[in-house]
Amino acid sequence: MTRTLEVGDQVLLVDNKKRRYLLTLELGGEFHSHTGVLSHDDLIGSPEGATPRSSRGSSFVAFRPTLSDYVLKMPRGAQVVYPKDLGPLLMLADIYPGVRVFESGVGSGALSMTMLRSGAEITGYDIRDEFAERARSNVQTMLGGEALGRYQVEIRDAYDGIDLVDMDRVVLDLPEPWQVVPHAAQALQAGGIIVAYTPSILQAVRFREALAVNGFEFAETIEVLNRSWHIEGQAVRPDHRMVGHTAFLSHARLLG
Ligand code: SAH
């Protein structure tokens, strides 16, 4: 059965220069760009892959955004974890339906959404309430009320402690994750996994030192390199540009 685009759906419009725009379909809504106006009503009821035209004749392709599209286009407060790292983080943290995750900070909610979509139950701490709000509204928009029901965000400083026990996973994206390691050792069950996302290798080193003295084992630090290729006729080669660096991913398990 074709899933048509309906009122309230998120839609990704791609123009002929591959520029991407995200919108929420509304009855009578209009999308304005330098190529004129496109009426939402022309899209409502269309299948994905529809090619509406704007008032000045430019054509677009309309799809539902993937999680990756959404993360790159959603309203942001803080810097987000990029899609290239989100997938690997799911594996390193071993996220599955029903897993109990402590996450800090939540920022714009990119990492939260990724784990929620894999079925996690998350308690998140963030020190800034505007970020907590943004993260919750992004989760609601992209994943809906069921996911929001598995997402508790509290305005708290993770360096002061974690008010939880028997957690399965601790996932950190904040400036000094080593300050959270002793609290994580208390909050996690034996065998639980901790992961930290740190832009600087010096942060990774301090995190690793804290892991070593707080009962964590099997520590590993990796970075994810993603090299895309240009494929067009005989011109087949790696793209000239690549994202050189985002962050280091460090993970370990708590001993019994
Ligand atoms: N992983 C998020 C981005 C996190 S940005 C995403 O993918 O969208 C880092 C966040 O950590 C910010 O929102 C910041 O407010 C929060 N933060 C910084 N120090 C903190 C602390 N001590 N306790 C809790 N949150 C903290």
Side-chain angles (χ1 to χ4, degrees), residues 79 81 104-111 126-127 131 156-159 173 175:
Q79 177 67 273
V81 175
S104 189
V106 298
S108 308
L111 181 52
D126 205 291
I127 42 173
F131 288 165
R156 295 171 74 139
D157 187 329
Y159 303 158
D173 177 9

Side-chain angles (χ1 to χ4, degrees), residues 204-216:
V205 170
R206 285 196 71 173
F207 179 65
R208 293 287 300 267
E209 286 166 358
L211 293 178
V213 297
N214 281 280
F216 289 89

